[in-house]
Amino acid sequence: MYYTSLMTITKYNLQDYDFVGLSHRETKPRTRIRLLILAHLKDGKTQEQTANSLKTSPSTVKLTYKRFKKNGISGLDDLPKKGANFKLPKDQHEKFKKYILERQKKREGGRLTGYEIRDIIKDNWNVTYSLAGVYRLLHYLGLSCISSRSKHPKQDEEAQENFKKKLLS
């Protein structure tokens, strides 16, 4: 038997989609460009003509077409980025997050600063972070550095309510 390696079955066809319409509804700029690339190819333009029209490289056009043929419209989304791994081991992330949240609850006034959190990581996990690395870790764990205005430990709730009543009357 003779099989040709050039024969490939593709399940996604350019003629099956309205790429211009999809691009109008797309919110991500890179995906919108990829949809427009496919719209140009669907209209019969060459890869080079498409690249010139959209001010992009021919390799981008080629890669976009390949990704569409392989995965369809879902193949046009950005691929996950690979960044540097965190120095704090992944199995310690949940423990660290709980520790920070508990420490913040016990705190009287103010919030934990990046510098304090950096020292906590160094003291408890023996891992050194830059300040930017601390903020990146906090963001990854879903923790925000922005907090509501803190209450002074000696604040008098009753005096504040009386003040508000006077102001409104």
Side-chain angles (χ1 to χ4, degrees):
M1 288 185 164
Y2 175 73
Y3 294 98
T4 175
S5 62
L6 297 176
M7 291 186 65
T8 57
I9 299 172
T10 56
K11 47 189 168 178
Y12 303 104
N13 189 351
L14 289 174
Q15 304 309 319
D16 295 340
Y17 297 92
D18 173 22
F19 295 111
V20 174
L22 290 170
S23 74
H24 289 305
R25 292 187 295 276
E26 182 57 52
T27 57
K28 299 177 207 138
R30 289 182 179 155
T31 305
R32 186 179 305 125
I33 292 293
R34 292 176 188 133
L35 288 165
L36 292 174
I37 286 171
L38 295 174
H40 281 273
L41 294 175
K42 179 181 175 182
D43 291 344
K45 288 189 178 180
T46 65
Q47 289 183 359
E48 192 168 308
Q49 290 170 331
T50 300
N52 288 337
S53 295
L54 296 173
K55 305 292 188 219
T56 187
S57 69
S59 62
T60 300
V61 174
K62 186 176 181 177
L63 179 64
T64 299
Y65 182 68
K66 277 179 144 179
R67 286 172 62 179
F68 169 74
K69 282 296 195 180
K70 185 176 180 186
N71 301 312
I73 295 293
S74 63
L76 302 179
D77 290 331
D78 286 339
L79 299 173
K81 302 283 188 237
K82 297 193 188 238
N85 292 331
F86 292 106
K87 295 176 184 178
L88 185 68
K90 288 234 183 215
D91 62 342
Q92 295 294 310
H93 283 190
E94 213 41 54
K95 184 178 178 182
F96 167 72
K97 184 176 179 177
K98 285 179 185 176
Y99 183 85
I100 294 298
L101 291 173
E102 286 173 14
R103 184 94 181 255
Q104 182 60 40
K105 281 181 188 175
K106 292 177 185 174
R107 192 172 176 96
E108 292 184 4
R111 61 178 168 81
L112 288 170
T113 65
Y115 295 104
E116 290 171 320
I117 294 171
R118 183 178 63 184
D119 293 341
I120 288 169
I121 295 171
K122 177 70 175 155
D123 295 343
N124 294 320
W125 284 274
N126 201 25
V127 176
T128 306
Y129 266 96
S130 68
L131 196 55
V134 168
Y135 290 128
R136 192 170 78 83
L137 176 62
L138 292 174
H139 177 76
Y140 177 78
L141 295 175
L143 298 172
S144 173
C145 299
I146 300 170
S147 61
S148 60
R149 188 177 185 126
S150 62
K151 295 181 180 181
H152 192 277
K154 296 179 182 175
Q155 145 182 335
D156 184 0
E157 296 282 336
E158 189 177 326
Q160 285 184 349
E161 288 303 317
N162 290 335
F163 179 77
K164 287 178 188 176
K165 286 178 186 175
K166 273 186 184 177
L167 219 84
L168 294 175
S169 54

